[in-house]
Each structure stands twice: as structure tokens, then as C-alpha cells.
Amino acid sequence: MLAGRVKLILQYVKAVEKGELPHNHEIMRQIKSLSHRLPVLQSDRFNPQFLTQCNDVALMTLLGTVMKSANNLNQFVNKFSVSHQRQSGRRMR
């Protein structure tokens, strides 16, 4: 989504440079302000932060998968216990 919007802005700037669209100073100021807020991909601060964020997302995904598996195992054990209790109850009668 963000990449698509950045491409749209880039297309606008290229069209203004070629003279296809009129130069609007207000829009160009907004584009400049927005471009200064985007992280620089080659900076020394970006790489560790990006890797930390990727690791956090991967950890949350793993945690969700483990929790889902534990829940499935718990349901299986409950069903097995109920089934086993019914079978042993019939034998005792």
C-alpha cells in the first residue's frame, strides 16, 4: 500500500519534470516533507531497527502457531479422555 502510493508520487514528480503536468508548489512542498519522513534504507540506524522489527514479527507468528498447536493438542487430549472414560465405563458395568 505504501509502496503503491510512493510510486504514484514518483510518477507525479516525473510528469511535472517532463512538463506533462503543471508545477504546483504546495504539492511539491508536501512531497518534500513526506520524503524526509521516510526512512533512508542505507542508514546505520535503519538496518538494526528493521531486523529487530522483522524478528519481532517472526516471533509473534511463531508464538501464535505454538499457541494454536497447544490448543489443538488440548482439545485432542480432552476428546481422548472423554472417549476413554466412556469405554472404560462400559466395561465396568
Side-chain angles (χ1 to χ4, degrees):
M1 187 163 133
L2 177 62
R5 291 183 181 187
V6 170
K7 285 180 184 178
L8 180 67
I9 291 170
L10 184 60
Q11 290 173 355
Y12 173 79
V13 171
K14 286 181 180 179
V16 169
E17 285 178 347
K18 290 179 182 177
E20 297 171 357
L21 293 173
H23 189 79
N24 187 331
H25 292 285
E26 182 179 348
I27 293 175
M28 295 305 282
R29 279 192 300 270
Q30 290 177 354
I31 291 172
K32 182 180 178 185
S33 172
L34 178 64
S35 69
H36 287 290
R37 284 189 247 156
L38 293 174
V40 179
L41 298 179
Q42 301 301 326
S43 74
D44 293 335
R45 289 182 12 212
F46 177 75
N47 241 0
Q49 290 176 355
F50 178 72
L51 293 176
T52 301
Q53 187 174 8
C54 286
N55 288 340
D56 289 348
V57 169
L59 183 62
M60 292 303 293
T61 303
L62 178 65
L63 183 61
T65 303
V66 168
M67 291 299 294
K68 187 174 181 179
S69 298
N71 188 29
N72 288 340
L73 181 63
N74 187 29
Q75 289 177 357
F76 175 75
V77 168
N78 287 341
K79 289 176 184 178
F80 181 80
S81 295
V82 168
S83 174
H84 188 67
Q85 286 174 356
R86 286 183 187 167
Q87 289 178 358
S88 63
R90 291 180 191 161
R91 291 181 191 162
M92 295 182 127
R93 290 185 185 178

